[in-house]
Amino acid sequence: MPQRSLKPYLVLAAGAVVGVVAGIGIIRMNAVKVVPHSDQAETSPAREPLIKFSPEAIGTSVEEFGRPEVTHVQIVDLDQDGLPDVLYCESSTNTVRWVRQTSRNVFEESIVATDVAGPVHVAAADVYGNGRLDLLIASMGQVLPNSDSIGRVFVFEAMADGSFKRHLLLDRVARVTDVRAANLTDHSDGRLDLIVGQFGYDEGETRLLVNQGDWKFSSQALNGQSGCIHTPIGDFDGDGRLDIAALISQEWEEVHLFRNLGAGKFSDEILWGSTNEDFGSSGMKQVDLNQDGKLDLIFSNGDGFDYSIRGPRAWHGIQWLENIGEGKFDYHRIGEMPGAYAPSAADLDSDGDLDLIAVSGFGDWSNPDTVTLMAWINDGEENFEPEVIATQPIQMVTADAGDLDGDGIPEIVTGGYHSFPPFEHMSAITLWRRQ
Amino acid sequence: MASPVSSNNISTGRMIAAATILAVVGGGGTYLLLRPTLPEQVRGAFPALPDFKSEPTILQGKLQQAYTKTATSGSVADLAAYGRLLHANGFAAEASQAWQVLLSVDPTEPRWSYYLAHLRRDSGDMGETTLWLQQTVEINPNYRPAWLQLGDMALKSARFERARNYYGECLRLLPGAPYARIGLARIEQQEGKRDSAQKALLELVEDHPSFPSAHNLLAQMYRESGDQSRANLHRWEGYRAGRFITMEDPWMRELEIQCFTPAKLFIIGMMDFQANRGDRGQSAYEKAVQCAPKDPGNHELLGDLYRKLKEPQLARRSLSQSISLSDAAGVAPSLLAFIHLAAVERELGEFQTSREVAERGRIAHPRSPEILVELGLTLTALGENEAAGVAFRDAIELSPHDTAAQFHLGEWWLRKDQTDQAIPHFEKSLVLQPTFAPALRYLLQYTLGTGQLDSAQDYADTLLGAYYGDSEVRQLVAICYLRLGRRGLERNAVSEAITHFQIAYDLDSDDVDIAFELGTLQLAQGEFKAATPPLEVLIANRPTDASAHLFLAQAYLMDGRPRAARALLEKGLTLAEQAGNAGTAGNIREMLEAITR
């Protein structure tokens, strides 16, 4: 009996198997795929907080203010005694105040500017190179929405005797939200020019005031869009000249870069913009977040001043415009935070990289778990993990971080703005120390 | 005889062919046998129910129902309905999953990628948003809002040529579309082509006079070029046109219909209201209340909207309901509910009820200056002036810069004829609200009445800047500048006088006194062309005034128009003679003779 070979059957069986496998493969290939989404809800088990901060009220108390309206805080060593102080604007009294650190952790407050209608930003700068820090104050006229030309720019000149002399540099202009100083036109005598952000309402501007000496300034509009909130200054394109960035809100919701072309000339470029007209841009700072030697921008969106229905929006949060060189930037969303304001960077966990913080001005205050102070902890690769610092006090629109007590660990300073109900869990100036 | 090798080759070839056929048949069969049906595909990947415990009951029910329906049927239509619910009510991650599944099983529908674009836009990811929008227009090149958003995004990333193309597509679909045109104007502006940008905007506001963004941008450009008058005009027109609104977007409206989250409905409603679409705003608010009828805060917001819509009866009902619900829940009713209800009762003439509401509010919120102001106003309406004064003072004690408290205490002093006491309160009322119109108007009238013209000018300028298009404000400010002009004349400061009269005339060109002062002064300065318009106004308003005829005739004559001048002089002579005004008649005769010579 001839021996029959199994080979043909094996070949045929293999063919059938291949066919079945291929069929299943096609089915799998065609199966519905869902791309992982950054909004995907993530549930993580409860864990120990990465950092903790404890609050301490400094400066004028809530009771004295009634309803504090702190619009801006800044950590700065105003008297240059080696002890950082806190400067802040308070709009219910139209004052700018100095919480001076007289000795380590001992604070005394004094009013340094009065009758400044709607003060919303104070910066300290030596405008004439005389070794004293003058105060540059942005006066909105009225903090709540208003389209009228009621803005002013004040400089309170630091005098040798420690007093401040008032100069009104711009009057009856679209509401001013930012003034800061820098040598933008190549002065050689220590003079500084001023950059003025004018939010206005329907009309606004970003303006350069060139210092002509003796507190005289020539004025030049860099951009005529309304809604300018902040104008950080830095060499963003790495050409050795100081440029200006501007966060422009209202219906625009854009970040602009005004490149310094030299000889007092600036170009105007849009770096980034949202087509969500309700995006709610609320604050921007410059910082080299990834410490690569190039100055980045961090900005928040959480504004709710313009709505009768004030409160959080799903898209509120903070973001990072990473400077990739020559004035080009990549956008990164850092995280969500309803009502986010005042992004700041500091090494909160002392691991050598920069973390981020923001406060909330317009959260869902009927929910006691609403976060009012949030940190995003950097893993060293610019991946940020959110960390709740506090849920009270509520309604904060300004914050700064810096090492006030000289221990190498940054403190956080926040300000409460209480112009809308609920008038509870209020604060004026709060100093947050790491535990 | 065939070689064994050859025979073997044939046999192997057959086997391979047979195996291939088997593989194809087996594969096909397996595919046909095991492939998931469309419902299975949907059921296998559609999003789970989100955590909805804190959502309104109606939304919980709808989500549960939509989920179950999709899980059962696995149909595209049911998943789409579930996706709309998720998206419209803020469950972004689950909505995103739903749209992605739908995109896989139903790739011809452009909405899925459009909604994904919307979700990515909300989180600020403009790159991914652009990709989804591009996919949308690939599927449906006729959806204008997608093209517009692509244009806006290209503009905001300084890709101007690309933006032009996208706006062009938008205009192809709807010639004259204002949103695309303003985008194109912005590109021109960004590229430094100011003239063409301005021309485009002027054409745009002519075609769409209620488009606020175009007015605002024009105002910005006029201000930059130093033309403050036109800037003010367009700023006012922009203000009147209402809040900036986005292009109508039917696909997003489809989502909004599925919104049952009160917080979101209130935002949608407020944006509609601010954009002068009050009916849609009201519907959204009412729906919000229906979604969570036991929430006192929702009734309070609806009551506030009714007030704004001038519906006091409805406002009363909602605000009363808000307070009742809080009472029933054992919590203090909100401050705003008391404030609004006290005001509404007063508007309805129910002063005693208003007082009771305000008193209750005062007890519930003892640190509130606002409720004391309401109480003061109601006490004023009840004729209890002294008690009203105490309420206003108490409010100021609590909040020294409270605009309303300061203003109403000022008014209170005025009622007692104590103007000197009233003025400081009006001035203080402007500290936190520098353009508070009632105080500005009063202070302007007061300073004009007392001859403090420099202070009056400050108030007038502030008032005009804030209420440029308000005819009463313009008239009031014009009177101020008329007075300033006359003061200039008294001081022999002619140039200053002309400037002030001109401002007054620009504000109120129908005012005879202003026209007279400006026209005659310019005539006296030899500015006959400039004098002509105000003198024509003068004669139009004083047709029987012989002097007016004489003045205008002089202007015409100097302008080389002797025939028109003669006609006026002849008429003026008749009028002067009829009025027995020998002096004017004599002057006119002299001029007539001069013309004849």
Side-chain angles (χ1 to χ4, degrees), chain B residues 1-8 10:
Chain B
M1 194 171 108
S3 75
V5 174
S6 170
S7 164
N8 209 20
I10 291 165

Side-chain angles (χ1 to χ4, degrees), chain A residues 19-20 23-24 27, chain B residues 24-37 40:
Chain A
V20 169
I24 291 170
I27 290 164
Chain B
V24 170
V25 171
T30 306
Y31 177 77
L32 289 172
L33 200 67
L34 298 182
R35 70 166 177 170
T37 59
E40 282 169 342

